Amino acid sequence: MKHPSFRLLLAIALLLGLTIPAFAAPRVGEPAPDFSVVDTAGNTHNLADYRGQMVVLEWTNHECPFVIKHYQPGNMQNQQRLARETHDAVWLTVISSKPGSQGHVSAARADELTQSREAYPSAVLLDESGDMGRAYDARVTPHMYIIDAEGILRYMGGIDSNPSSNPEDIPEATQYVVAALEDLAAGRDVAQPVTRPYGCTIKY
C-alpha cells in the first residue's frame, strides 16, 4: 500500500498533468540509495556519514517468525558482532512498519528489544514513513543489504539460503551475509551478490 503522502502527491500531480517518478530499485554494483532516518536516540543517520566504512542494513519486525528464527538462537546477534568487530562495519537495523501495524515500536520499546535479545546493532533506525525501505525496495523481514566503503551496494537479499522459520535449519544453510562480508574483506567480488529474500512482508 502506498504511503498517504505519496497518494496525495500523486493526486496533485495528476491534477496538474505531471508525473512522479517511482523509486528505482537499487542495483548491486551501483551507488546505494542515500537515506536520512532518525534512530532510537533521536540521532539522524545518513548513508554519507559512513563513507569509508562498510554498512550492513537489516530490516526487522520483532513479531515476524522469520526474524525470531534468527534472533532466538543468537544467529543474528552473532552476525552483528562479526560484522562490527571483525570487519569494522556499521550495522543498522531498520524498522519500516508504519504506526499501528505489526512490528511498529516506540524508540523505548526498540531499545528494550535490543537489550533483552542482546542484539548488537550500531543503531536502530525508525523508518515510520517507509521512505528508506521503499528506496531500497525492502520487502520482507529480514531483508539484508551490504554497502561497501565507497557507498556501492554489494549485496542484497536473504540472510541465508533456507527460507524457513525453523531455527534448526540454520546450521544447514549457506549464510549469505557472512559469506559476502568475507568476500569483501578478502578483496573479492561477492560470489552471490543477489539472493532471494524471505520473511514477513514489511507493513508499509
Side-chain angles (χ1 to χ4, degrees):
M1 181 180 292
K2 299 295 185 185
H3 191 264
S5 61
F6 181 91
R7 293 198 298 268
L8 177 59
L9 286 172
L10 181 60
I12 294 172
L14 289 173
L15 287 172
L16 296 176
L18 304 174
T19 60
I20 296 179
F23 286 113
R27 289 173 173 261
V28 165
E30 296 184 359
D34 199 5
F35 52 82
S36 181
V37 183
V38 174
D39 68 13
T40 58
N43 301 314
T44 300
H45 295 253
N46 300 281
L47 179 59
D49 297 338
Y50 299 112
R51 184 59 61 93
Q53 284 184 281
M54 190 148 47
V55 177
V56 180
L57 302 178
E58 167 216 351
W59 263 264
T60 193
N61 169 353
H62 71 286
E63 298 180 84
C64 170
F66 297 92
V67 170
I68 293 170
K69 165 191 176 179
H70 291 284
Y71 271 99
Q72 194 171 63
N75 185 49
M76 188 69 78
Q77 297 93 320
N78 289 339
Q79 295 197 25
Q80 291 167 346
R81 285 181 171 79
L82 174 72
R84 294 186 62 188
E85 296 176 359
T86 302
H87 301 293
D88 193 30
V90 174
W91 186 293
L92 301 175
T93 298
V94 187
I95 302 173
S96 290
S97 297
K98 67 182 179 182
S101 68
Q102 185 196 61
H104 178 268
V105 292
S106 65
R109 177 57 177 150
D111 286 342
E112 288 174 3
L113 287 165
T114 298
Q115 183 175 7
S116 66
R117 298 185 296 188
E118 298 183 344
Y120 198 59
S122 304
V124 177
L125 307 188
L126 304 176
D127 178 39
E128 291 188 340
S129 70
D131 288 345
M132 180 180 177
R134 291 187 181 90
Y136 277 83
D137 194 29
R139 286 170 273 138
V140 297
T141 54
H143 203 152
M144 309 295 299
Y145 300 78
I146 300 175
I147 302 161
D148 71 14
E150 301 302 319
I152 303 300
L153 184 63
R154 295 300 180 189
Y155 174 79
M156 61 181 182
I159 186 171
D160 68 17
S161 62
N162 201 331
S164 81
S165 60
N166 185 354
E168 294 181 3
D169 293 336
I170 293 174
E172 301 175 357
T174 300
Q175 299 300 316
Y176 289 137
V177 172
V178 172
L181 288 170
E182 291 174 349
D183 283 341
L184 291 169
R188 301 186 297 260
D189 290 336
V190 176
Q192 293 180 281
V194 180
T195 65
R196 183 172 71 88
Y198 68 90
C200 304
T201 304
I202 295 175
K203 310 304 187 288
Y204 289 117

